[in-house]
Amino acid sequence: MAEFFKTSVTWVVDFHYEGRPRRWFKAFGPHDDPFQQMTDTLKDLYGDRAKLASVRKATDEEELQYLRGEEPKNSYCPTGR
């Protein structure tokens, strides 16, 4: 894909849910603040049960995993899927 068509950046979000480590892939726009947005999102979804550990740009390999739809090994889905 040509780089000028890509307007988002894939980030790796590591957090703890009820003390257990979790990881999400999340795409953000170039002017977004991923750390603040994920802090707010986790607070809205889980209240005090989740704590953000780190937010960093995904490596090329992690971004390919995200684009292929492969889940991180310790992802959490409330529906059990």
Short mmCIF file of all heavy atoms in Angstrom, two decimals, residues 16-78:
data_model
loop_
_atom_site.label_atom_id
_atom_site.label_comp_id
_atom_site.label_asym_id
_atom_site.label_seq_id
_atom_site.Cartn_x
_atom_site.Cartn_y
_atom_site.Cartn_z
N HIS A 16 -3.50 -4.14 32.45
CA HIS A 16 -3.83 -5.21 33.38
C HIS A 16 -5.31 -5.12 33.71
O HIS A 16 -5.82 -4.04 34.05
CB HIS A 16 -3.01 -5.09 34.67
CG HIS A 16 -1.57 -5.38 34.45
ND1 HIS A 16 -0.68 -4.40 34.05
CD2 HIS A 16 -0.86 -6.52 34.52
CE1 HIS A 16 0.52 -4.94 33.92
NE2 HIS A 16 0.43 -6.23 34.18
N TYR A 17 -6.00 -6.24 33.57
CA TYR A 17 -7.41 -6.34 33.92
C TYR A 17 -7.53 -7.30 35.08
O TYR A 17 -7.17 -8.47 34.97
CB TYR A 17 -8.23 -6.83 32.72
CG TYR A 17 -9.68 -7.06 33.05
CD1 TYR A 17 -10.53 -5.98 33.20
CD2 TYR A 17 -10.18 -8.33 33.24
CE1 TYR A 17 -11.87 -6.17 33.51
CE2 TYR A 17 -11.51 -8.53 33.55
CZ TYR A 17 -12.34 -7.45 33.70
OH TYR A 17 -13.67 -7.65 34.02
N GLU A 18 -7.97 -6.76 36.20
CA GLU A 18 -8.06 -7.53 37.45
C GLU A 18 -6.74 -8.24 37.73
O GLU A 18 -6.71 -9.41 38.11
CB GLU A 18 -9.24 -8.49 37.41
CG GLU A 18 -10.58 -7.77 37.36
CD GLU A 18 -11.77 -8.70 37.40
OE1 GLU A 18 -11.62 -9.92 37.17
OE2 GLU A 18 -12.87 -8.19 37.68
N GLY A 19 -5.63 -7.54 37.50
CA GLY A 19 -4.31 -8.07 37.80
C GLY A 19 -3.69 -8.95 36.73
O GLY A 19 -2.52 -9.31 36.83
N ARG A 20 -4.44 -9.30 35.69
CA ARG A 20 -3.92 -10.17 34.63
C ARG A 20 -3.53 -9.32 33.42
O ARG A 20 -4.27 -8.43 33.02
CB ARG A 20 -4.96 -11.21 34.25
CG ARG A 20 -5.22 -12.20 35.38
CD ARG A 20 -6.28 -13.19 34.96
NE ARG A 20 -7.54 -12.51 34.71
CZ ARG A 20 -8.62 -12.63 35.48
NH1 ARG A 20 -8.58 -13.39 36.54
NH2 ARG A 20 -9.72 -11.98 35.18
N PRO A 21 -2.38 -9.62 32.80
CA PRO A 21 -1.94 -8.83 31.64
C PRO A 21 -2.81 -9.09 30.41
O PRO A 21 -3.22 -10.21 30.15
CB PRO A 21 -0.50 -9.31 31.41
CG PRO A 21 -0.44 -10.66 32.02
CD PRO A 21 -1.43 -10.68 33.16
N ARG A 22 -3.09 -8.01 29.71
CA ARG A 22 -3.88 -8.07 28.47
C ARG A 22 -3.19 -7.20 27.43
O ARG A 22 -2.47 -6.27 27.75
CB ARG A 22 -5.30 -7.54 28.70
CG ARG A 22 -6.07 -8.28 29.76
CD ARG A 22 -6.46 -9.65 29.26
NE ARG A 22 -7.21 -10.36 30.27
CZ ARG A 22 -6.96 -11.59 30.65
NH1 ARG A 22 -5.97 -12.26 30.10
NH2 ARG A 22 -7.66 -12.18 31.56
N ARG A 23 -3.46 -7.48 26.15
CA ARG A 23 -2.88 -6.71 25.05
C ARG A 23 -3.93 -6.51 23.97
O ARG A 23 -4.64 -7.43 23.60
CB ARG A 23 -1.67 -7.41 24.47
CG ARG A 23 -1.11 -6.70 23.23
CD ARG A 23 0.19 -7.28 22.79
NE ARG A 23 1.21 -6.74 23.69
CZ ARG A 23 2.48 -7.08 23.64
NH1 ARG A 23 2.90 -7.96 22.77
NH2 ARG A 23 3.34 -6.54 24.47
N TRP A 24 -4.00 -5.28 23.47
CA TRP A 24 -4.85 -4.95 22.34
C TRP A 24 -4.01 -4.30 21.27
O TRP A 24 -3.01 -3.64 21.56
CB TRP A 24 -5.93 -3.93 22.73
CG TRP A 24 -7.05 -4.42 23.56
CD1 TRP A 24 -7.37 -5.70 23.85
CD2 TRP A 24 -8.02 -3.60 24.22
NE1 TRP A 24 -8.48 -5.74 24.64
CE2 TRP A 24 -8.90 -4.46 24.89
CE3 TRP A 24 -8.23 -2.24 24.31
CZ2 TRP A 24 -9.97 -3.99 25.64
CZ3 TRP A 24 -9.29 -1.78 25.05
CH2 TRP A 24 -10.15 -2.64 25.70
N PHE A 25 -4.42 -4.45 20.01
CA PHE A 25 -3.92 -3.65 18.91
C PHE A 25 -4.98 -2.59 18.65
O PHE A 25 -6.17 -2.90 18.63
CB PHE A 25 -3.74 -4.46 17.63
CG PHE A 25 -2.65 -5.49 17.70
CD1 PHE A 25 -2.82 -6.72 17.10
CD2 PHE A 25 -1.44 -5.24 18.33
CE1 PHE A 25 -1.82 -7.68 17.13
CE2 PHE A 25 -0.44 -6.18 18.36
CZ PHE A 25 -0.63 -7.41 17.76
N LYS A 26 -4.56 -1.37 18.44
CA LYS A 26 -5.52 -0.29 18.23
C LYS A 26 -4.93 0.70 17.23
O LYS A 26 -3.76 1.03 17.31
CB LYS A 26 -5.79 0.41 19.57
CG LYS A 26 -6.81 1.49 19.54
CD LYS A 26 -8.17 0.93 19.77
CE LYS A 26 -9.13 2.11 19.98
NZ LYS A 26 -10.38 1.90 19.34
N ALA A 27 -5.74 1.13 16.28
CA ALA A 27 -5.29 2.11 15.28
C ALA A 27 -5.74 3.50 15.72
O ALA A 27 -6.89 3.69 16.14
CB ALA A 27 -5.87 1.78 13.92
N PHE A 28 -4.83 4.47 15.62
CA PHE A 28 -5.13 5.86 15.95
C PHE A 28 -4.69 6.75 14.81
O PHE A 28 -3.77 6.41 14.06
CB PHE A 28 -4.39 6.28 17.22
CG PHE A 28 -4.91 5.65 18.48
CD1 PHE A 28 -4.24 4.58 19.04
CD2 PHE A 28 -6.07 6.11 19.08
CE1 PHE A 28 -4.71 3.99 20.19
CE2 PHE A 28 -6.55 5.51 20.23
CZ PHE A 28 -5.87 4.45 20.79
N GLY A 29 -5.32 7.89 14.70
CA GLY A 29 -4.94 8.88 13.69
C GLY A 29 -3.62 9.53 14.06
O GLY A 29 -3.15 9.43 15.20
N PRO A 30 -3.01 10.22 13.11
CA PRO A 30 -1.68 10.80 13.34
C PRO A 30 -1.67 11.90 14.40
O PRO A 30 -0.63 12.19 14.98
CB PRO A 30 -1.29 11.34 11.97
CG PRO A 30 -2.55 11.51 11.23
CD PRO A 30 -3.50 10.48 11.76
N HIS A 31 -2.81 12.51 14.68
CA HIS A 31 -2.85 13.61 15.65
C HIS A 31 -3.52 13.21 16.96
O HIS A 31 -3.74 14.06 17.82
CB HIS A 31 -3.56 14.82 15.05
CG HIS A 31 -2.92 15.28 13.76
ND1 HIS A 31 -1.67 15.83 13.72
CD2 HIS A 31 -3.36 15.24 12.49
CE1 HIS A 31 -1.36 16.12 12.47
NE2 HIS A 31 -2.37 15.76 11.69
N ASP A 32 -3.86 11.94 17.12
CA ASP A 32 -4.50 11.46 18.35
C ASP A 32 -3.46 11.28 19.45
O ASP A 32 -2.27 11.11 19.18
CB ASP A 32 -5.19 10.12 18.10
CG ASP A 32 -6.39 10.25 17.18
OD1 ASP A 32 -6.92 11.36 17.04
OD2 ASP A 32 -6.79 9.22 16.58
N ASP A 33 -3.94 11.29 20.68
CA ASP A 33 -3.11 11.00 21.85
C ASP A 33 -3.49 9.60 22.34
O ASP A 33 -4.43 9.46 23.12
CB ASP A 33 -3.34 12.05 22.94
CG ASP A 33 -2.50 11.82 24.18
OD1 ASP A 33 -1.69 10.86 24.20
OD2 ASP A 33 -2.65 12.59 25.14
N PRO A 34 -2.79 8.56 21.87
CA PRO A 34 -3.17 7.18 22.21
C PRO A 34 -3.18 6.91 23.71
O PRO A 34 -4.06 6.21 24.20
CB PRO A 34 -2.12 6.33 21.50
CG PRO A 34 -1.54 7.19 20.47
CD PRO A 34 -1.65 8.59 20.96
N PHE A 35 -2.21 7.44 24.44
CA PHE A 35 -2.15 7.17 25.88
C PHE A 35 -3.39 7.70 26.58
O PHE A 35 -4.04 6.99 27.34
CB PHE A 35 -0.88 7.79 26.49
CG PHE A 35 -0.69 7.42 27.92
CD1 PHE A 35 -0.07 6.22 28.26
CD2 PHE A 35 -1.13 8.24 28.93
CE1 PHE A 35 0.10 5.86 29.58
CE2 PHE A 35 -0.97 7.89 30.26
CZ PHE A 35 -0.34 6.70 30.58
N GLN A 36 -3.77 8.93 26.29
CA GLN A 36 -4.95 9.52 26.94
C GLN A 36 -6.23 8.83 26.50
O GLN A 36 -7.11 8.56 27.31
CB GLN A 36 -5.03 11.02 26.65
CG GLN A 36 -6.14 11.72 27.40
CD GLN A 36 -5.99 11.60 28.90
OE1 GLN A 36 -4.92 11.87 29.44
NE2 GLN A 36 -7.03 11.18 29.57
N GLN A 37 -6.35 8.54 25.20
CA GLN A 37 -7.56 7.88 24.72
C GLN A 37 -7.74 6.50 25.32
O GLN A 37 -8.85 6.10 25.68
CB GLN A 37 -7.55 7.81 23.19
CG GLN A 37 -7.84 9.14 22.55
CD GLN A 37 -8.09 9.01 21.06
OE1 GLN A 37 -8.22 7.91 20.53
NE2 GLN A 37 -8.15 10.14 20.38
N MET A 38 -6.64 5.74 25.45
CA MET A 38 -6.76 4.41 26.04
C MET A 38 -7.01 4.47 27.54
O MET A 38 -7.73 3.64 28.09
CB MET A 38 -5.51 3.57 25.73
CG MET A 38 -5.46 3.11 24.29
SD MET A 38 -6.99 2.33 23.68
CE MET A 38 -7.26 1.01 24.83
N THR A 39 -6.45 5.46 28.21
CA THR A 39 -6.74 5.65 29.63
C THR A 39 -8.24 5.89 29.81
O THR A 39 -8.88 5.26 30.66
CB THR A 39 -5.94 6.84 30.20
OG1 THR A 39 -4.54 6.56 30.05
CG2 THR A 39 -6.25 7.07 31.66
N ASP A 40 -8.80 6.77 28.99
CA ASP A 40 -10.24 7.06 29.07
C ASP A 40 -11.09 5.86 28.69
O ASP A 40 -12.09 5.56 29.35
CB ASP A 40 -10.59 8.25 28.16
CG ASP A 40 -9.93 9.55 28.60
OD1 ASP A 40 -9.47 9.63 29.78
OD2 ASP A 40 -9.86 10.48 27.77
N THR A 41 -10.69 5.14 27.64
CA THR A 41 -11.45 3.97 27.19
C THR A 41 -11.49 2.89 28.25
O THR A 41 -12.55 2.32 28.55
CB THR A 41 -10.85 3.41 25.88
OG1 THR A 41 -10.93 4.41 24.87
CG2 THR A 41 -11.58 2.15 25.43
N LEU A 42 -10.33 2.57 28.83
CA LEU A 42 -10.29 1.54 29.87
C LEU A 42 -11.10 1.95 31.08
O LEU A 42 -11.79 1.12 31.69
CB LEU A 42 -8.84 1.24 30.26
CG LEU A 42 -8.01 0.53 29.19
CD1 LEU A 42 -6.56 0.43 29.63
CD2 LEU A 42 -8.57 -0.84 28.88
N LYS A 43 -11.05 3.21 31.44
CA LYS A 43 -11.83 3.71 32.58
C LYS A 43 -13.32 3.56 32.29
O LYS A 43 -14.09 3.12 33.14
CB LYS A 43 -11.47 5.16 32.85
CG LYS A 43 -12.18 5.79 34.00
CD LYS A 43 -11.37 5.61 35.23
CE LYS A 43 -12.00 6.42 36.36
NZ LYS A 43 -11.84 5.77 37.62
N ASP A 44 -13.74 3.93 31.06
CA ASP A 44 -15.15 3.82 30.68
C ASP A 44 -15.62 2.36 30.66
O ASP A 44 -16.73 2.05 31.09
CB ASP A 44 -15.40 4.44 29.30
CG ASP A 44 -15.28 5.95 29.31
OD1 ASP A 44 -15.29 6.56 30.41
OD2 ASP A 44 -15.16 6.53 28.21
N LEU A 45 -14.78 1.46 30.13
CA LEU A 45 -15.18 0.06 30.00
C LEU A 45 -15.10 -0.72 31.30
O LEU A 45 -15.97 -1.54 31.59
CB LEU A 45 -14.30 -0.64 28.95
CG LEU A 45 -14.48 -0.21 27.51
CD1 LEU A 45 -13.43 -0.88 26.63
CD2 LEU A 45 -15.88 -0.57 27.02
N TYR A 46 -14.03 -0.51 32.06
CA TYR A 46 -13.75 -1.38 33.20
C TYR A 46 -13.63 -0.67 34.54
O TYR A 46 -13.42 -1.33 35.54
CB TYR A 46 -12.45 -2.15 32.94
CG TYR A 46 -12.46 -2.93 31.65
CD1 TYR A 46 -11.55 -2.66 30.65
CD2 TYR A 46 -13.39 -3.95 31.43
CE1 TYR A 46 -11.55 -3.38 29.46
CE2 TYR A 46 -13.41 -4.65 30.25
CZ TYR A 46 -12.49 -4.37 29.27
OH TYR A 46 -12.51 -5.07 28.11
N GLY A 47 -13.73 0.64 34.57
CA GLY A 47 -13.61 1.37 35.84
C GLY A 47 -12.23 1.16 36.45
O GLY A 47 -11.21 1.28 35.77
N ASP A 48 -12.21 0.81 37.72
CA ASP A 48 -10.95 0.61 38.44
C ASP A 48 -10.37 -0.78 38.27
O ASP A 48 -9.31 -1.08 38.81
CB ASP A 48 -11.14 0.91 39.93
CG ASP A 48 -11.46 2.38 40.17
OD1 ASP A 48 -11.02 3.22 39.37
OD2 ASP A 48 -12.15 2.67 41.16
N ARG A 49 -11.04 -1.67 37.53
CA ARG A 49 -10.54 -3.03 37.36
C ARG A 49 -9.40 -3.12 36.36
O ARG A 49 -8.70 -4.12 36.31
CB ARG A 49 -11.68 -3.95 36.91
CG ARG A 49 -12.76 -4.09 37.97
CD ARG A 49 -13.88 -4.95 37.48
NE ARG A 49 -14.47 -4.26 36.32
CZ ARG A 49 -15.42 -4.76 35.57
NH1 ARG A 49 -15.88 -5.96 35.80
NH2 ARG A 49 -15.91 -4.09 34.56
N ALA A 50 -9.21 -2.09 35.53
CA ALA A 50 -8.14 -2.11 34.53
C ALA A 50 -7.17 -0.96 34.77
O ALA A 50 -7.56 0.13 35.18
CB ALA A 50 -8.74 -1.98 33.13
N LYS A 51 -5.89 -1.26 34.51
CA LYS A 51 -4.85 -0.23 34.66
C LYS A 51 -3.94 -0.30 33.44
O LYS A 51 -3.41 -1.36 33.11
CB LYS A 51 -4.06 -0.50 35.93
CG LYS A 51 -3.01 0.54 36.19
CD LYS A 51 -2.43 0.38 37.58
CE LYS A 51 -2.11 1.75 38.09
NZ LYS A 51 -2.64 2.05 39.34
N LEU A 52 -3.77 0.84 32.78
CA LEU A 52 -2.94 0.92 31.59
C LEU A 52 -1.47 0.76 31.97
O LEU A 52 -0.98 1.41 32.88
CB LEU A 52 -3.16 2.26 30.89
CG LEU A 52 -2.48 2.48 29.56
CD1 LEU A 52 -2.99 1.46 28.54
CD2 LEU A 52 -2.75 3.89 29.06
N ALA A 53 -0.78 -0.14 31.26
CA ALA A 53 0.64 -0.38 31.53
C ALA A 53 1.51 0.39 30.54
O ALA A 53 2.42 1.11 30.94
CB ALA A 53 0.96 -1.87 31.46
N SER A 54 1.24 0.25 29.24
CA SER A 54 2.03 0.97 28.24
C SER A 54 1.27 1.06 26.92
O SER A 54 0.40 0.25 26.64
CB SER A 54 3.38 0.29 28.02
OG SER A 54 3.20 -0.95 27.37
N VAL A 55 1.65 2.06 26.16
CA VAL A 55 1.12 2.26 24.81
C VAL A 55 2.33 2.59 23.94
O VAL A 55 3.08 3.50 24.23
CB VAL A 55 0.10 3.41 24.76
CG1 VAL A 55 -0.42 3.61 23.35
CG2 VAL A 55 -1.05 3.17 25.71
N ARG A 56 2.52 1.79 22.88
CA ARG A 56 3.67 2.02 22.00
C ARG A 56 3.28 1.71 20.57
O ARG A 56 2.32 0.98 20.32
CB ARG A 56 4.86 1.16 22.42
CG ARG A 56 4.59 -0.33 22.31
CD ARG A 56 5.82 -1.17 22.60
NE ARG A 56 5.51 -2.58 22.63
CZ ARG A 56 5.33 -3.36 21.57
NH1 ARG A 56 5.43 -2.85 20.36
NH2 ARG A 56 5.05 -4.63 21.70
N LYS A 57 4.04 2.27 19.64
CA LYS A 57 3.79 1.97 18.23
C LYS A 57 4.11 0.51 17.96
O LYS A 57 5.08 -0.04 18.49
CB LYS A 57 4.64 2.86 17.34
CG LYS A 57 4.17 4.29 17.30
CD LYS A 57 4.96 5.09 16.30
CE LYS A 57 4.46 6.51 16.29
NZ LYS A 57 5.20 7.34 15.34
N ALA A 58 3.29 -0.11 17.15
CA ALA A 58 3.49 -1.52 16.80
C ALA A 58 4.69 -1.67 15.87
O ALA A 58 4.97 -0.79 15.04
CB ALA A 58 2.24 -2.07 16.12
N THR A 59 5.38 -2.79 16.01
CA THR A 59 6.45 -3.11 15.07
C THR A 59 5.81 -3.50 13.74
O THR A 59 4.59 -3.73 13.66
CB THR A 59 7.31 -4.28 15.58
OG1 THR A 59 6.48 -5.45 15.67
CG2 THR A 59 7.92 -3.97 16.94
N ASP A 60 6.62 -3.62 12.70
CA ASP A 60 6.08 -4.02 11.39
C ASP A 60 5.40 -5.38 11.46
O ASP A 60 4.34 -5.60 10.88
CB ASP A 60 7.19 -4.05 10.34
CG ASP A 60 7.69 -2.66 9.99
OD1 ASP A 60 6.96 -1.68 10.24
OD2 ASP A 60 8.81 -2.56 9.46
N GLU A 61 5.99 -6.31 12.20
CA GLU A 61 5.41 -7.65 12.34
C GLU A 61 4.08 -7.60 13.09
O GLU A 61 3.11 -8.26 12.71
CB GLU A 61 6.38 -8.58 13.06
CG GLU A 61 5.87 -10.00 13.17
CD GLU A 61 6.87 -10.93 13.83
OE1 GLU A 61 8.08 -10.71 13.66
OE2 GLU A 61 6.43 -11.86 14.52
N GLU A 62 4.02 -6.82 14.16
CA GLU A 62 2.77 -6.69 14.93
C GLU A 62 1.68 -6.03 14.09
O GLU A 62 0.51 -6.41 14.16
CB GLU A 62 3.01 -5.87 16.20
CG GLU A 62 3.83 -6.62 17.23
CD GLU A 62 4.29 -5.73 18.36
OE1 GLU A 62 4.51 -4.52 18.16
OE2 GLU A 62 4.45 -6.27 19.48
N GLU A 63 2.07 -5.06 13.27
CA GLU A 63 1.08 -4.40 12.42
C GLU A 63 0.52 -5.38 11.39
O GLU A 63 -0.68 -5.37 11.10
CB GLU A 63 1.70 -3.20 11.72
CG GLU A 63 0.68 -2.38 10.98
CD GLU A 63 1.20 -1.03 10.56
OE1 GLU A 63 2.39 -0.74 10.72
OE2 GLU A 63 0.37 -0.25 10.07
N LEU A 64 1.37 -6.25 10.84
CA LEU A 64 0.87 -7.27 9.91
C LEU A 64 -0.10 -8.23 10.61
O LEU A 64 -1.10 -8.63 10.03
CB LEU A 64 2.03 -8.04 9.29
CG LEU A 64 2.83 -7.29 8.23
CD1 LEU A 64 4.05 -8.11 7.80
CD2 LEU A 64 1.96 -6.95 7.04
N GLN A 65 0.20 -8.60 11.85
CA GLN A 65 -0.72 -9.44 12.62
C GLN A 65 -2.08 -8.74 12.76
O GLN A 65 -3.13 -9.37 12.58
CB GLN A 65 -0.16 -9.73 14.01
CG GLN A 65 0.97 -10.70 14.06
CD GLN A 65 1.50 -10.86 15.47
OE1 GLN A 65 1.43 -9.94 16.28
NE2 GLN A 65 2.03 -12.01 15.76
N TYR A 66 -2.05 -7.47 13.08
CA TYR A 66 -3.27 -6.70 13.23
C TYR A 66 -4.06 -6.65 11.91
O TYR A 66 -5.27 -6.88 11.89
CB TYR A 66 -2.92 -5.28 13.69
CG TYR A 66 -4.09 -4.33 13.73
CD1 TYR A 66 -5.06 -4.43 14.72
CD2 TYR A 66 -4.24 -3.33 12.77
CE1 TYR A 66 -6.13 -3.56 14.76
CE2 TYR A 66 -5.30 -2.46 12.80
CZ TYR A 66 -6.25 -2.57 13.80
OH TYR A 66 -7.30 -1.71 13.83
N LEU A 67 -3.36 -6.40 10.81
CA LEU A 67 -4.03 -6.30 9.52
C LEU A 67 -4.59 -7.64 9.06
O LEU A 67 -5.60 -7.70 8.37
CB LEU A 67 -3.06 -5.76 8.47
CG LEU A 67 -2.63 -4.30 8.68
CD1 LEU A 67 -1.54 -3.92 7.69
CD2 LEU A 67 -3.81 -3.37 8.58
N ARG A 68 -3.96 -8.74 9.47
CA ARG A 68 -4.46 -10.09 9.13
C ARG A 68 -5.60 -10.51 10.04
O ARG A 68 -6.22 -11.55 9.81
CB ARG A 68 -3.33 -11.11 9.27
CG ARG A 68 -2.32 -11.05 8.19
CD ARG A 68 -1.36 -12.23 8.35
NE ARG A 68 -0.06 -11.89 7.84
CZ ARG A 68 1.08 -11.89 8.51
NH1 ARG A 68 1.10 -12.28 9.76
NH2 ARG A 68 2.20 -11.55 7.95
N GLY A 69 -5.85 -9.77 11.12
CA GLY A 69 -6.90 -10.12 12.06
C GLY A 69 -6.48 -11.13 13.10
O GLY A 69 -7.32 -11.73 13.76
N GLU A 70 -5.17 -11.33 13.26
CA GLU A 70 -4.68 -12.26 14.27
C GLU A 70 -4.69 -11.56 15.62
O GLU A 70 -4.21 -10.45 15.78
CB GLU A 70 -3.26 -12.70 13.93
CG GLU A 70 -3.18 -13.45 12.62
CD GLU A 70 -1.74 -13.70 12.18
OE1 GLU A 70 -0.81 -13.31 12.89
OE2 GLU A 70 -1.57 -14.28 11.10
N GLU A 71 -5.28 -12.22 16.61
CA GLU A 71 -5.38 -11.64 17.94
C GLU A 71 -4.08 -11.79 18.70
O GLU A 71 -3.36 -12.78 18.52
CB GLU A 71 -6.49 -12.32 18.72
CG GLU A 71 -7.86 -12.12 18.10
CD GLU A 71 -8.93 -12.86 18.87
OE1 GLU A 71 -8.61 -13.52 19.88
OE2 GLU A 71 -10.08 -12.77 18.46
N PRO A 72 -3.78 -10.85 19.59
CA PRO A 72 -2.64 -11.06 20.49
C PRO A 72 -2.89 -12.29 21.36
O PRO A 72 -4.04 -12.64 21.63
CB PRO A 72 -2.61 -9.79 21.33
CG PRO A 72 -3.43 -8.80 20.60
CD PRO A 72 -4.42 -9.58 19.78
N LYS A 73 -1.83 -12.93 21.81
CA LYS A 73 -1.97 -14.17 22.57
C LYS A 73 -2.75 -14.02 23.87
O LYS A 73 -3.41 -14.91 24.32
CB LYS A 73 -0.59 -14.73 22.88
CG LYS A 73 0.10 -15.31 21.66
CD LYS A 73 1.43 -15.89 22.04
CE LYS A 73 2.19 -16.54 20.96
NZ LYS A 73 1.97 -16.27 19.61
N ASN A 74 -2.67 -12.85 24.53
CA ASN A 74 -3.36 -12.69 25.79
C ASN A 74 -4.49 -11.66 25.69
O ASN A 74 -4.78 -10.95 26.63
CB ASN A 74 -2.39 -12.29 26.90
CG ASN A 74 -1.71 -10.95 26.61
OD1 ASN A 74 -1.80 -10.45 25.51
ND2 ASN A 74 -1.02 -10.41 27.58
N SER A 75 -5.15 -11.61 24.54
CA SER A 75 -6.26 -10.68 24.38
C SER A 75 -7.45 -11.18 25.19
O SER A 75 -7.57 -12.36 25.51
CB SER A 75 -6.64 -10.52 22.92
OG SER A 75 -7.16 -11.72 22.43
N TYR A 76 -8.34 -10.30 25.50
CA TYR A 76 -9.51 -10.64 26.29
C TYR A 76 -10.76 -10.17 25.56
O TYR A 76 -10.84 -9.05 25.12
CB TYR A 76 -9.44 -9.95 27.66
CG TYR A 76 -10.72 -10.11 28.45
CD1 TYR A 76 -11.01 -11.31 29.09
CD2 TYR A 76 -11.63 -9.08 28.54
CE1 TYR A 76 -12.17 -11.46 29.80
CE2 TYR A 76 -12.78 -9.22 29.26
CZ TYR A 76 -13.06 -10.42 29.89
OH TYR A 76 -14.23 -10.57 30.59
N CYS A 77 -11.70 -11.06 25.41
CA CYS A 77 -12.98 -10.70 24.80
C CYS A 77 -14.08 -11.11 25.77
O CYS A 77 -14.19 -12.28 26.15
CB CYS A 77 -13.14 -11.44 23.47
SG CYS A 77 -14.75 -11.10 22.71
N PRO A 78 -14.91 -10.17 26.21
CA PRO A 78 -15.95 -10.50 27.17
C PRO A 78 -16.96 -11.52 26.67
O PRO A 78 -17.65 -12.16 27.45
CB PRO A 78 -16.62 -9.16 27.47
CG PRO A 78 -16.07 -8.18 26.55
CD PRO A 78 -14.89 -8.78 25.84
#
